[in-house]
Amino acid sequence: MSALAVDAKQIRLEDLLNSVEEGTAVLPAFQRDFDWSSSDVVSLLATLLSDWPAGSILLMSGAPKFFEVRKFEDGPDLANDVRYVVLDGQQRLTALFHAIRGRGDVAFILRAQDLVNSDGSADAIEELIELVPRGEWRRDYPLERQSRERLVPLHELRTASDFFAWRDRVIEATPEKERAEVGRLLADVYRSHLGRLNTYAFPAVLLDNDLPPAAVARIFERINLTGLRLNTFDLLVARVYDPEWNLRDRWETARRESEPIAHWFADDGLPVIQTISLNLEGDVRQPALLSLKARDIRSSWDAAVEASEAAILKLRSIGIPAPSWMPYRGLLLPLADRAMRLGSDSLEDDAELATWFWARSLGMDYGVGSSTRIALDARLLSKESPDWSSASFAIDRRLLQSATRRQQSALWSAFTSLLAAEEPRDLLTGEVITSPAEEAVVVSLFPRGEGNLHLRVLGMVLMTRQSARQMRKDRGRFLSTVPEVTLETQLLPGGPLLESLADPETFLRHRAGLLEQRVSGYSSVPIRWFDGRDE
């Protein structure tokens, strides 16, 4: 390999997004599609706005000679001259392309006045970024409203000059007596945070496009294997170290002695630390974790491990077969905090805690600002008899009917997990799928075709792999003979299933109704079901 075959440099985010927009930055055709959730995008934006590092990227200079390329999602067609092939960094660059260049289905909006009044941390910024459907933004958020509510659309930050041109338009739409105040606020927020999106640069490794395939594969493999960042748990291991009490050793002991802990948390001990912080400080954000005193971690560790194990067992009893099926990982923490305060026996009530879990999941309440929601729910569950009337559970029926795995991945996880909890019967054999995590696959009842029906969450069922293969071969015959008892276990409308599927919207509406009946029937905890986000 020549000395010039690999180079490292800083590349401005603005230049990278320009290349994406021009079609000169492309992707290998073999890479997976963009699959980040909106909350992932918000987290990345908060990282950049806080001036924290967001990792490095791996690029190839020029067009590759041994594989095909494709464009970025929602980007233009490929240009004749390829500048960069993004080998590692697709998810981050696509997310930022959507948010800053105004692509995709939603606009990312920052509440500027609230940012000034906050501590300016990444966790605070996450909670101040709102998601608005792009069509709704254009229709319902004129400049006057943007000024009145002190809203900054991040897609106006293409460049510094674009931002200040937008600011001038907002000022013109502001009542005269407030113009100076609005102008100062927007300028201050740009200098303190927003301008970072225009000046941020990614550390990049650039490969020459004449490197042999084996060399590119080796470099790509090593970057993915060794690109582990020092996380909060690692920092705490160093901070609380004592010759007589080693946090890393304690964590390894917990994993070794508890199958639920080892299975659920793998090699990440942070949830136990979050449980301690939630119990002592009512906060799970990174600054709170890093502020924990060493003596508090040492004295609370065993109780937090025991409480975390109890929370995992509770989730299993609710019906979550494995951690990968969780709609939001943070839902475990209020349960662990309750067990730590009131004892593991406090999690034995199946009905009300199950209602809490499914309502929060299907209401997507942990999608954005999850740290605040975790703290509020911990406070709610800290009482022996929670005041459920204060919980404000609300679930959008219309969103359930239109949701897809790609756009609402948490709803997909929640619904498929709820099916797993119902001891579903296989649509072909009629036998109960006893171990969904090992035996089941998620299959759409709708065939691939025009539109996104085959991606709709409420079109999914659980089946064994063998049955799923058979259904693909003869869908019509297979779906025309499903017994009623099997339909019930999969929350499917009664009657001939194939006929129901012929009217997709009616089918989805009916299944949403069955889901509502099931979740509302767990207990008397009140849930507000509504049609559409405007209600």
Side-chain angles (χ1 to χ4, degrees), residues 310-330:
I312 294 168
L313 295 175
K314 178 61 183 177
L315 290 170
R316 285 178 174 175
S317 75
I318 287 174
I320 307 301
S324 60
W325 290 61
M326 280 283 284
Y328 302 104
R329 300 297 285 268

Side-chain angles (χ1 to χ4, degrees), residues 242-497:
D242 183 280
E244 303 299 322
W245 201 95
N246 185 309
L247 179 58
R248 177 69 65 188
D249 290 346
R250 295 288 175 140
W251 168 236
E252 293 302 328
T253 298
R255 293 177 62 199
R256 187 169 57 252
E257 295 180 351
S258 170
E259 179 276 328
I261 292 282
H263 178 222
W264 213 268
F265 295 156
D267 58 356
D268 183 13
L270 192 61
V272 181
I273 298 294
Q274 289 175 312
T275 298
I276 295 172
S277 183
L278 189 59
N279 184 262
L280 297 178
E281 305 296 335
D283 194 348
V284 295
R285 293 176 294 181
Q286 187 187 54
L289 305 185
L290 294 175
S291 297
L292 287 171
K293 294 180 173 59
R295 65 173 180 272
D296 289 336
I297 294 177
R298 289 195 287 267
S299 63
S300 302
W301 177 260
D302 290 342
V305 169
E306 182 179 342
S308 298
E309 181 181 69
I312 294 168
L313 295 175
K314 178 61 183 177
L315 290 170
R316 285 178 174 175
S317 75
I318 287 174
I320 307 301
S324 60
W325 290 61
M326 280 283 284
Y328 302 104
R329 300 297 285 268
L331 283 162
L332 176 142
L333 296 173
L335 293 173
D337 180 70
R338 178 177 173 86
M340 197 167 175
R341 292 179 188 277
L342 304 176
S344 299
D345 291 349
S346 67
L347 301 185
E348 289 183 356
D349 167 62
D350 282 337
E352 292 184 344
L353 291 178
T355 302
W356 166 80
F357 178 86
W358 295 118
R360 286 288 184 240
S361 300
L362 295 169
M364 298 197 301
D365 295 330
Y366 280 55
V368 177
S370 60
S371 297
T372 298
R373 174 54 64 190
I374 289 168
L376 291 172
D377 275 353
R379 197 178 310 156
L380 171 72
L381 300 187
S382 67
K383 308 297 183 184
E384 191 79 47
S385 298
D387 178 13
W388 296 112
S389 64
S390 66
S392 301
F393 296 127
I395 301 174
D396 185 345
R397 299 187 192 94
R398 189 174 300 171
L399 181 60
L400 287 174
Q401 294 166 44
S402 64
T404 65
R405 179 181 185 180
R406 185 170 181 178
Q407 296 297 331
Q408 290 87 19
S409 59
L411 280 182
W412 186 90
S413 295
F415 183 67
T416 53
S417 294
L418 193 143
L419 290 181
E422 295 295 313
E423 296 186 345
R425 292 179 179 271
D426 183 84
L427 269 64
L428 176 61
T429 66
E431 296 179 358
V432 174
I433 303 174
T434 55
S435 301
E438 291 79 32
E439 301 174 14
V441 292
V442 181
V443 179
S444 176
L445 293 171
F446 294 109
R448 289 180 177 270
E450 295 184 7
N452 67 353
L453 273 177
H454 67 287
L455 301 175
R456 298 284 185 95
V457 169
L458 293 189
M460 302 297 171
V461 294
L462 298 182
M463 300 173 61
T464 64
R465 288 174 174 79
Q466 182 178 2
S467 293
R469 285 193 294 268
Q470 292 189 40
M471 188 182 81
R472 294 188 189 102
K473 295 178 181 177
D474 194 352
R475 175 178 173 275
R477 182 181 64 82
F478 184 39
L479 295 182
S480 62
T481 58
V482 182
E484 290 284 332
V485 65
T486 299
L487 295 175
E488 291 177 8
T489 66
Q490 299 258 10
L491 296 182
L492 291 167
L497 181 56

Side-chain angles (χ1 to χ4, degrees), residues 14-72:
E14 188 171 315
D15 293 336
L16 290 166
L17 296 185
N18 286 341
S19 295
V20 174
E21 199 164 45
E22 295 162 0
T24 58
V26 299
L27 299 168
F30 58 77
Q31 276 196 352
R32 62 190 173 99
D33 292 333
F34 177 67
D35 62 0
W36 271 20
S37 67
S38 296
S39 58
D40 292 329
V41 181
V42 167
S43 180
L44 176 62
L45 289 168
T47 297
L48 268 59
L49 290 168
S50 303
D51 207 23
W52 287 7
S56 61
I57 58 176
L58 178 64
L59 307 174
M60 175 178 285
S61 297
K65 299 179 179 178
F66 57 91
F67 58 83
E68 298 295 321
V69 297
R70 60 181 176 86
K71 67 177 184 176
F72 275 73

